[in-house]
Structure formats: structure tokens, C-alpha cells
Amino acid sequence: MILKYLWAQRRSNALLLLELTLVGIMLFYVVNAFLDAYGVYRIPLGFTTERSYVINLQKTKKANITGHQLKDSLDRFLRTRKEIDQFAYTFDSEPFSGDRNCWPIVVGGVEQQLNIRVSDVNFPSLLGVHINEGRWFTEAELLQNSKVCLITEGLKEFLKRPYPVGTMLSFGNPTEESLRIIGVIPDLKYGTYEPPVLSIFRPMDLEDNFFEWKMIVKVKEGQKEDFAQTLKLFTSDVSKSLGLVVLSVNDFDTKKQFADTNSTNAIWSLFWCAFFFLVNVILGIYVVFSGRVKKRVSELAIRMAVGSSRRGIIALVLGESILLLLLSSIVVLVVALNMAHFGILDGKIPFTAWRFIADFLFVELILLISVSSSVLVPAVKASRIEPAMALHYE
């Protein structure tokens, strides 16, 4: 009976079907974007930066010192400061640096860009980077600029090597050097909403570009929140004697906030756009479906006059609307599958079958609640009309 009625009203129902289909597709895209952002947010950073600062150093033209001598001098000075708990050195590889020094690698015919990061031996202990397999490089390997590296878990999966420690990592180009893998660390993120990138860590070359070193310093508990200024003052004293200039001293909380700004603004913009879109969708569905029921009040009252129950009237109206929703869901499913197949839905994290199912079910739940609430209220009102009044009107 419901199918016969839908077919009899096929012209108006076709417009409703088209509206539900378009709304479903747009909602599916928006929901996927939010789930993608939430999935990235849930991934841990892979390190800790509490009570830590980064000091940017630059070599002056008057400096006449090697990288090894510079490291020894800074080490001796930093160990004398009672405020400092730990320290490490790096070239633009500290958290939230925004550095994207990449090398290409090809595995199984697939090219992938690797993020190349360099540091000294104290980097993992200062930032709490866990070693999942193998070990970090030693002081001897740092001083000798040994061709060793550690890879992240994501790169391990890309390489398809269950036990990568001890193997060589080649970069496709015969002129490029190969590195021996000595350890595996967790995936690292350099922003709350930034996905992990395939990365390797290798010993920093003490003679290469040491004029732009960065020191990461972790201070002991109990220091003032504005300790960055104090840190800049006493590091400036020793830097001048070594021919260096302290460009800036930044705490990692500030760097993290700066790194997250663009992503956070984009997500909030998407949120408000999605919110207004969703409100308009729900209001539009309510107006269309409730108006459709109100136009049939006389018909529904007559059905009650000839024997239909109030529960049967509500079930009839609700069943018609849900059937339209199911028909539109088939089209939405087909379109969504094609969007996933052609990579339109690819975000910051891999698009899996489980996420596709979650997106689709969540969209259908929103539409089901919207459609059901839109027809239930006028249907209940229509079911309360006395049949005699409807017959008298007819």
C-alpha cells in the first residue's frame, strides 16, 4: 500500500528523493572531514615538551671555531647551570619547527617523501621519545658522522620490513648515500592536527651548517614561567665568547600554539559552516515533510473514519518517509563508494572500510532522526482529528 501511494505521488516524491540524496552526500563529506580531524587529534604526539625551551643560535663572521669545539664549549657551560636539567642539539628538527627537509624513497614502485631529521644523542631522553626497537645512536657515531639512522613506525610499515634493525635504507638515487637502520621509534606529530609523517633520525653533522644550531633545554621543576628571558640572558654571555648570537628563546607551548593556529582556525571554520549547514538541512527537511503531512490531514482523517487506527495512521506516514529515506540511501551509498574509490575523501589519515561504514551510518542516523521528527508531530496531530468532523468537511 505504501509503495502504491509513493508511486501515485511520484512527481513530488522524486523531488523529496533528490533533496534527501543531495543532503546525504554533502553530510557524508562533512562528517568524513570531522572524523578525519578527530582521528589525527587522537594520535599522540610521540614526545613530551614540558619545561623545555629551544634556543636559536647563529654564527657570526668573527667566529673561528669548529662544530666539535662549539659543542664541547656549550656542554661545559650548560652543565654548570643549576637551573638546567637536560639539553640537546639539533638542526631545525625540534618539535613544532615546521621543517620539511625531505628525501624521496621508492618501495615497490611507490614513491614516498621522507622527513629527514638530525639531532645529537640526548634528543630522545630529553623529549621522552620511546625506542620501540633497537637503540639510539651513540656519542661515537655522532662524532664520526656515522651512516646510521632510526625510522618511525609508519616508515617501518611502508618498507614492509617486520625486523628492519640492521638493514640498509637506500633512497633510490644511486648517488645518494645509504643508511643502516639501528632502531625504530613511534610516529611523531609536529602539531595537534598534523598527521604523523614518515621520518628518519640520523646523527647531526657537527661540521655542516653549525652556524644555525638549535639547543633544546629542559629546566628543572620550580622555575618561573617567564624563564625564557633568563635563559636568553645567560646563554648570550657564553655565545658572545664563542662567536655566536642568540636569535631567540622560545618555550614549546608557544611554538605548539603557533603551529596549531592554522589548523585550529580551519577546523573551527569548517565546524561553523557544517553547523549552519546542518541547521538549514534539518529545518528544510522539517518544513518539507511536515508540510507534506499537513496537506493530507483530511485524507488521514477519512482513513480513520473508514476504520484505520491512530497507530496505523502514524505508521503509514512514518513508513512512507522512511521508505523515501532508504531509497535515497542507496544512491548516497553508490556515490560515496565512488568518492572513496577515486580518492575524493582522502584526508590526513588513511581512509579505511570501517571509517566509511561509520561515516555512512552516522549520516543516515542524522537523516533518520530529522525525517522521523518532522513527520511524527503533524502525524500525531492528524491522528487526533475526529472522523465525524472530517466526513462533515468532505
Side-chain angles (χ1 to χ4, degrees), residues 34-312:
F34 273 105
L35 286 181
D36 185 67
Y38 178 71
V40 174
Y41 170 78
R42 292 264 308 188
I43 300 173
L45 293 175
F47 52 82
T48 58
T49 56
E50 59 180 1
R51 310 193 318 275
S52 298
Y53 299 82
V54 58
I55 305 172
N56 296 281
L57 302 173
Q58 187 177 63
K59 177 185 174 183
T60 64
K61 295 181 179 180
K62 297 180 180 180
N64 185 21
I65 188 172
T66 66
H68 295 278
Q69 293 170 336
L70 174 62
K71 182 177 181 303
D72 290 341
S73 299
L74 289 175
D75 283 353
R76 287 195 299 270
F77 168 74
L78 292 172
R79 291 192 184 103
T80 64
R81 302 299 307 195
K82 61 181 181 179
E83 305 95 335
I84 295 177
D85 185 19
Q86 290 177 280
F87 56 88
Y89 304 96
T90 183
F91 291 145
D92 285 329
S93 296
E94 80 281 4
F96 319 119
S97 65
D99 176 59
R100 291 294 181 268
N101 181 20
C102 296
W103 285 355
I105 186 173
V106 180
V107 176
V110 179
E111 181 174 322
Q112 183 70 46
Q113 295 293 322
L114 298 187
N115 197 267
I116 310 301
R117 300 191 176 274
V118 297
S119 70
D120 71 345
V121 299
N122 298 320
F123 189 89
S125 60
L126 189 153
L127 294 175
V129 178
H130 182 67
I131 312 296
N132 293 346
E133 300 177 37
R135 60 175 177 83
W136 196 262
F137 42 83
T138 63
E139 186 72 27
E141 289 169 327
L142 174 70
L143 296 175
Q144 297 168 9
N145 193 23
S146 299
K147 306 304 180 183
V148 297
C149 70
L150 289 92
I151 64 175
T152 57
E153 285 287 348
L155 180 55
K156 173 185 172 181
E157 294 178 7
F158 177 75
L159 295 174
K160 297 181 174 58
R161 296 179 184 175
Y163 308 102
V165 176
T167 62
M168 299 301 293
L169 181 64
S170 302
F171 294 90
N173 190 340
T175 60
E176 295 287 356
E177 61 185 349
S178 296
L179 304 175
R180 181 168 59 89
I181 301 173
I182 61 172
V184 180
I185 60 176
D187 290 327
L188 301 179
K189 292 187 351 177
Y190 289 83
T192 304
Y193 296 99
E194 291 296 322
V197 292
L198 303 186
S199 304
I200 67 171
F201 269 86
R202 58 179 302 182
M204 59 189 291
D205 187 348
L206 295 179
E207 298 303 332
D208 181 28
N209 296 328
F210 76 87
F211 56 86
E212 51 186 20
W213 278 20
K214 291 187 178 182
M215 289 192 299
I216 303 175
V217 174
K218 177 178 250 185
V219 300
K220 295 180 180 179
E221 294 184 7
Q223 300 300 325
K224 298 179 180 179
E225 293 184 1
D226 59 348
F227 189 71
Q229 187 62 29
T230 304
L231 193 61
K232 183 174 183 178
L233 289 174
F234 70 68
T235 51
S236 295
D237 294 338
V238 69
S239 298
K240 290 178 181 178
S241 64
L242 298 175
L244 300 176
V245 176
V246 178
L247 298 179
S248 63
V249 178
N250 300 307
D251 66 279
F252 278 110
D253 289 338
T254 302
K255 288 179 67 67
K256 181 177 183 296
Q257 184 178 5
F258 181 79
D260 288 345
T261 298
N262 291 336
S263 297
T264 303
N265 290 341
I267 289 173
W268 275 109
S269 299
L270 179 61
F271 170 79
W272 286 114
C273 290
F275 175 77
F276 286 114
F277 170 71
L278 188 59
V279 169
N280 282 277
V281 164
I282 294 175
L283 290 176
I285 290 176
Y286 180 82
V287 170
V288 172
F289 278 86
S290 62
R292 185 168 177 265
V293 176
K294 291 176 182 178
K295 290 180 180 179
R296 300 175 56 195
V297 170
S298 298
E299 172 204 335
L300 298 176
I302 292 173
R303 287 181 179 274
M304 291 181 61
V306 296
S308 295
S309 65
R310 290 182 175 179
R311 183 175 296 178

